[in-house]
Amino acid sequence: MKKNVLSAMVGAACIASSTMSSTAIAAPEKPNIVYIIVDDQRYDAMGFVNHEAVTPNMDQMAKEGTYFKNAFVTTSLCGPSRASILTGQYAHNHGMVDNNKNDNVYNLDFFPQRLKQAGYQTAFFGKWHFGGVEKEAKPGFAGFDKWVGFIGSNSQGNYYPINEFGGASELNVDGKIVKQKGYITDELTDYAVDWLEHRDKNKPFMLYLGHKGVHADFLPAPRHIGKLKGKEFTKPDSWVNNAANYEGKPRWVKDQRNSWHGIDFPYMENLVVTQI
């Protein structure tokens, strides 16, 4: 895996796009941008926030960067939130209110389009998951010169080259359907690093890397199997199903326990605390 190479290149990009003087640090005219998003990460499931969590890379980024303690999301669902990130609009304006197909996705104004107009190279890797365009997308869509995206399994992507139905996991690489070769976190990182290494070094760039992890199903890379064997994790207070836990909260907080994305049924009905 090239995560260390990517981290180094991200750091180099930040350094290269900054200028220093004896009096102040001037904002670069066209800074390079690397945006990395992980999926379904709890706010407190990071080692520097909760000592039970094992997240050394996130801990390092928090230590060497900035941690926004009071950051909130208005629409906590894949499609609406990702559309908001890419358009800068609330869901009631961009219209992506769920993860389903929506042809209006072609009419949205995505910020990578603006960056391309400003001379940027742009690339997308990973999870899109709104508008239903995963198979149709190709270079140029939403302002991205390079496109490597998930398809299949409701466009969630698969951790392994063989999906849950026994078939081959697939990716859309620049409009062509190709088979996934390895563990998806590693493969996306490799695609991203390869693009960074072969881009035009004379132009600024923006890279969007949308990982599948840590979305269910919780399948680790082969090298990590057994690494946390014997480690116990404390369930959050919100796990408790009693009146005190729901006091002062909207009714849907209780109702959603029995929903597709709820704690108890049916999406996670087979979730148990296991040693991996």
Side-chain angles (χ1 to χ4, degrees), residues 223-245:
R223 65 183 176 279
H224 291 146
I225 295 175
K227 192 173 183 178
L228 299 179
K229 185 177 181 180
K231 183 175 179 61
E232 295 185 1
F233 297 88
T234 304
K235 295 178 181 178
D237 293 339
S238 58
W239 191 287
V240 180
N241 188 11
N242 60 24
N245 184 35

Side-chain angles (χ1 to χ4, degrees), residues 107-178:
N107 300 321
L108 297 181
D109 185 7
F110 299 105
F111 79 80
Q113 295 171 322
R114 302 295 186 93
L115 290 176
K116 274 187 62 65
Q117 293 172 3
Y120 274 73
Q121 302 164 90
T122 57
F124 177 91
F125 304 94
K127 182 176 178 178
W128 178 266
H129 206 46
F130 68 91
V133 297
E134 284 76 10
K135 285 188 176 181
E136 303 168 8
K138 59 185 64 176
F141 173 70
F144 289 105
D145 300 316
K146 177 72 178 182
W147 185 276
V148 179
F150 299 157
I151 60 174
S153 298
N154 195 25
S155 304
Q156 291 283 2
N158 298 288
Y159 284 108
Y160 295 121
I162 302 300
N163 62 36
E164 68 271 32
F165 303 110
S169 302
E170 297 177 323
L171 299 172
N172 174 346
V173 179
D174 291 333
K176 297 181 180 179
I177 308 304
V178 303

Side-chain angles (χ1 to χ4, degrees), residues 31-215:
N32 295 322
I33 303 167
V34 176
Y35 184 86
I36 303 174
I37 181 172
V38 295
D39 200 354
D40 284 357
Q41 180 81 26
R42 276 184 62 97
Y43 75 95
D44 56 355
M46 295 179 284
F48 66 93
V49 176
N50 178 355
H51 70 277
E52 291 187 354
V54 183
T55 58
N57 294 314
M58 289 185 175
D59 298 350
Q60 182 178 354
M61 287 191 288
K63 181 179 179 180
E64 299 178 1
T66 301
Y67 167 53
F68 294 93
K69 185 177 181 180
N70 291 310
F72 303 91
V73 62
T74 60
T75 320
S76 56
L77 183 65
C78 287
S81 61
R82 291 165 190 272
S84 290
I85 290 168
L86 285 162
T87 65
Q89 297 181 327
Y90 290 113
H92 67 269
N93 284 323
H94 61 61
M96 303 294 119
V97 297
D98 52 32
N99 303 332
N100 300 322
K101 187 171 181 61
N102 187 333
D103 290 337
N104 288 334
V105 68
Y106 292 104
N107 300 321
L108 297 181
D109 185 7
F110 299 105
F111 79 80
Q113 295 171 322
R114 302 295 186 93
L115 290 176
K116 274 187 62 65
Q117 293 172 3
Y120 274 73
Q121 302 164 90
T122 57
F124 177 91
F125 304 94
K127 182 176 178 178
W128 178 266
H129 206 46
F130 68 91
V133 297
E134 284 76 10
K135 285 188 176 181
E136 303 168 8
K138 59 185 64 176
F141 173 70
F144 289 105
D145 300 316
K146 177 72 178 182
W147 185 276
V148 179
F150 299 157
I151 60 174
S153 298
N154 195 25
S155 304
Q156 291 283 2
N158 298 288
Y159 284 108
Y160 295 121
I162 302 300
N163 62 36
E164 68 271 32
F165 303 110
S169 302
E170 297 177 323
L171 299 172
N172 174 346
V173 179
D174 291 333
K176 297 181 180 179
I177 308 304
V178 303
K179 292 183 178 180
Q180 181 178 320
K181 298 177 181 178
Y183 190 68
I184 193 58
T185 305
D186 299 341
E187 190 158 348
L188 287 180
T189 302
D190 288 346
Y191 271 115
V193 170
D194 181 73
W195 182 80
L196 284 171
E197 291 177 340
H198 294 92
R199 63 185 173 82
D200 185 344
K201 303 301 193 298
N202 296 314
K203 296 181 179 180
F205 71 85
M206 190 284 292
L207 183 153
Y208 181 109
L209 178 56
H211 282 298
K212 175 177 174 62
V214 290
H215 194 288

